[in-house]
Amino acid sequence: MTPTAPALQVVILAAGQGKRMRSDLPKVLHPLAGKPLLAHVLETARLLQPQGICAVIGHGAERVRDAVATPDVVWAVQDEQLGTGHAVMQALPRLAPEGTVLVLYGDVPLIGLTTLRSLVQAASSGVLAILTQEVADPRGYGRIVRDAEGRVVKIVEEKDATQPERAILEVNTGVMAMPRSRLDDWLRRLGNDNTQREYYLTDVVAAAVADGMAIEVRHPAAAHECLGVNSKAELASLERRLQMNRASQLLESGVTLADPARIDVRGELACGRDVFIDVNCIFEGRVTLGDGVRIAANCILRDVVVGDGTEVKPYSLIEEARIGARARIGPYARIRPGTELADEVHVGNFVEVKASTFGRGSKANHLAYVGDASVGSGVNIGAGTITCNYDGAQKHRTVIEDDVHIGSDVQLVAPVTVGKGATIAAGATITKDVPPGGLTLTRKVQETRADWRRPRKK
Ligand code: UD1
Ligand code: CA
């Protein structure tokens, strides 16, 4: 353990309803890049290695708690939303008595680690540090009021501000850090004698100044870090910003993107060298693409590992699967959870594979369903072939040994094993194990009735 500076505790305000989201989902649970807003804030908070994290919840408290439950977060419930100061009061019983308290908002998801470190550092000598920003349009924000010497004297909310105060362009981002030892006293002194009848956390600034404290001011490393989500439009705009950042990182690392504005990474995407990704692909969960992988347009990959040199053709959906090197998937392939494809496997158009393994070089190129199957290497599965894996109650396995060739439109009624090197003729319905080698067919004799006439309308 490295000795840590004065202990840090993080309080995340997340009790608000988010009326303007017009949704039944609590605001902080709306997903950004596939993850709840609050989870983004928690992730950044954790990177500060705080002694504790307390989230103040109110609207949809149960749902919020269930959705982001982790043992390192303690919860405080604010039944009535009486203001940001009131919200922090609810957290007090959950906070250790020393160190620095950092206040974050659950609906400001892009706040950056560097910014927070500098703010916490500024507060570490036992003073109040606030994060402010100059903006072109300060509407809706609390304004930073300074005296003639430029010292911060208070924050005034827009609704309580005088005309000259409203002209101030330096605004409160809402993020602040302060000594735990002074917090109880400052919060006790808050009143709600203001336009909104709320207990404003921002009033701790005036309280600290009244105590003779000089306020430390820091600014965010990037302007967009302090953008909050109050509406679906703001959520969408933050999503684009985050995706653009991720796309830039991918480009930076050498990935070729057909269009950086048309990729969505809702999780972690790790790429080798010379990876190419065409437009409109979505990556969810953890996806790893090896060297030289090519992902064509409109593919969705979730929790997938793809080996070197593999090509995924357009409109393929691949979930919870491992794909080997130099494989060819799609177009229009559906690879479902529990699938492992070895090197040089081909899974072509309109082929669905579920919970199955394919050995090296095996192919199912057209219109097939392979479910709960172990497929050896060098196997060829013909168009229209189906593993009948479900008897209406139980799932059964199909085993296809190495070097088997299966003709078109074959039904393999599981449980069944096809022996090594066997060939199955087109149209067969296989209900018994097939011995190795040889040709197996279940064909009826073809007949033609030359004297047959088509019926005619009377
Ligand atoms: C707040 C600041 C304002 C700042 C702005 C930045 C105050 C009084 N004002 O205003 O100076 O410029 O943020 O966006 O602090 N919350 C609770 N419980 C409550 C009230 C709020 O948990 O009773 C939470 C909300 O869910 C939200 C955050 O606190 O995550 C901020 O609340 P919000 O109502 O958005 O504050 P603003 O009025 O925007
Ligand atoms: Ca707000």
Side-chain angles (χ1 to χ4, degrees):
M1 284 281 290
T2 48
T4 39
L8 173 68
Q9 303 180 75
V10 180
V11 174
I12 303 175
L13 304 189
Q17 177 178 20
K19 256 195 212 123
R20 286 202 282 139
M21 297 299 277
R22 299 188 187 283
S23 167
D24 293 334
L25 191 66
K27 175 156 81 170
V28 291
L29 292 189
H30 281 269
L32 180 76
K35 201 164 65 179
L37 292 172
L38 180 57
H40 287 267
V41 181
L42 281 171
E43 197 167 282
T44 309
R46 277 188 196 110
L47 296 175
L48 291 163
Q49 297 179 291
Q51 181 190 340
I53 300 176
C54 176
V56 182
I57 51 177
H59 272 280
E62 283 306 312
R63 280 178 84 178
V64 175
R65 214 190 312 228
D66 291 348
V68 292
T70 46
D72 64 340
V73 178
V74 297
W75 305 92
V77 177
Q78 185 193 27
D79 290 317
E80 262 187 298
Q81 279 70 63
L82 302 179
T84 48
H86 182 260
V88 176
M89 285 178 211
Q90 312 313 306
L92 282 179
R94 310 244 180 272
L95 300 181
E98 283 137 26
T100 301
V101 174
L102 171 68
V103 176
L104 302 176
Y105 288 177
D107 56 0
V108 180
L110 302 186
I111 191 75
L113 185 61
T114 311
T115 298
L116 294 181
R117 281 207 176 116
S118 92
L119 191 73
V120 169
Q121 175 62 33
S124 64
S125 60
V127 299
L128 174 59
I130 60 176
L131 190 69
T132 79
Q133 193 170 22
E134 287 250 349
V135 295
D137 179 7
R139 264 178 303 175
Y141 291 101
R143 311 294 206 278
I144 309 300
V145 180
R146 292 173 181 266
D147 65 13
E149 276 75 49
R151 289 177 299 226
V152 173
V153 293
K154 63 173 179 175
I155 297 176
V156 61
E157 291 306 296
E158 174 162 278
K159 287 180 177 140
D160 305 300
T162 62
Q163 274 311 329
E165 284 169 344
R166 284 185 193 196
I168 297 171
L169 297 179
E170 187 186 5
V171 301
N172 174 32
T173 65
V175 178
M176 46 179 91
M178 58 207 108
R180 171 68 183 92
S181 57
R182 307 296 284 273
L183 194 53
D184 294 72
D185 179 47
W186 288 342
L187 291 176
R188 207 174 307 121
R189 283 151 64 186
L190 296 185
N192 66 346
D193 184 16
N194 52 51
T195 321
Q196 306 186 75
R197 298 263 142 222
E198 283 184 7
Y199 296 89
Y200 293 159
L201 179 62
T202 44
D203 285 346
V204 300
V205 173
V209 171
D211 289 351
M213 184 179 279
I215 310 299
E216 287 284 337
V217 176
R218 294 292 182 276
H219 307 299
H224 69 256
E225 286 182 26
C226 299
L227 292 173
V229 174
N230 298 296
S231 64
K232 291 287 171 68
E234 286 172 354
L235 181 63
S237 115
L238 253 60
E239 178 79 35
R240 280 306 99 213
R241 200 177 281 274
L242 183 54
Q243 293 301 343
M244 268 320 267
N245 289 351
R246 291 187 176 176
S248 302
Q249 285 163 14
L250 289 169
L251 293 169
E252 194 80 26
S253 71
V255 175
T256 303
L257 300 178
D259 181 355
R262 283 184 289 167
I263 175 172
D264 284 82
V265 181
R266 299 174 190 156
E268 283 163 46
L269 173 60
C271 296
R273 285 179 84 77
D274 296 307
V275 167
F276 169 75
I277 299 172
D278 212 328
V279 299
N280 297 333
C281 291
I282 301 175
F283 299 90
E284 299 179 331
R286 277 169 195 270
V287 175
T288 304
L289 306 180
D291 293 346
V293 166
R294 296 179 68 84
I295 309 289
N298 301 301
C299 290
I300 302 174
L301 280 73
R302 178 170 63 81
D303 294 315
V304 177
V305 177
V306 181
D308 296 349
T310 285
E311 196 172 340
V312 179
K313 298 186 178 196
Y315 294 98
S316 295
L317 169 59
I318 310 177
E319 299 171 280
E320 292 174 42
R322 296 183 74 88
I323 294 168
R326 300 172 306 283
R328 280 213 323 253
I329 309 297
Y332 299 98
R334 173 145 191 235
I335 312 275
R336 292 172 52 196
T339 296
E340 292 198 21
L341 307 180
D343 297 348
E344 284 152 35
V345 162
H346 293 185
V347 171
N349 11 206
F350 307 105
V351 173
E352 176 179 348
V353 183
K354 187 213 88 176
S356 297
T357 57
F358 276 51
R360 189 184 186 98
S362 288
K363 298 183 174 112
N365 272 326
H366 330 266
L367 295 157
Y369 172 62
V370 181
D372 302 309
S374 306
V375 178
S377 58
V379 169
N380 201 320
I381 296 177
T385 291
I386 306 277
T387 53
C388 308
N389 59 328
Y390 187 49
D391 61 14
Q394 251 75 247
K395 299 276 173 65
H396 300 284
R397 289 202 73 80
T398 300
V399 177
I400 302 172
E401 293 179 355
D402 294 348
D403 199 30
V404 163
H405 284 206
I406 298 176
S408 298
D409 195 28
V410 168
Q411 297 100 56
L412 298 158
V413 182
V416 73
T417 296
V418 181
K420 188 171 168 158
T423 300
I424 298 178
T429 300
I430 301 298
T431 53
K432 293 182 289 195
D433 287 355
V434 173
L439 173 69
T440 298
L441 30 79
T442 63
R443 215 168 260 175
K444 290 190 180 143
V445 178
Q446 179 170 325
E447 61 174 323
T448 303
R449 296 178 182 178
D451 57 347
W452 182 81
R453 291 289 168 265
R454 286 183 191 158
R456 278 164 207 262
K457 267 201 178 130
K458 295 209 175 98

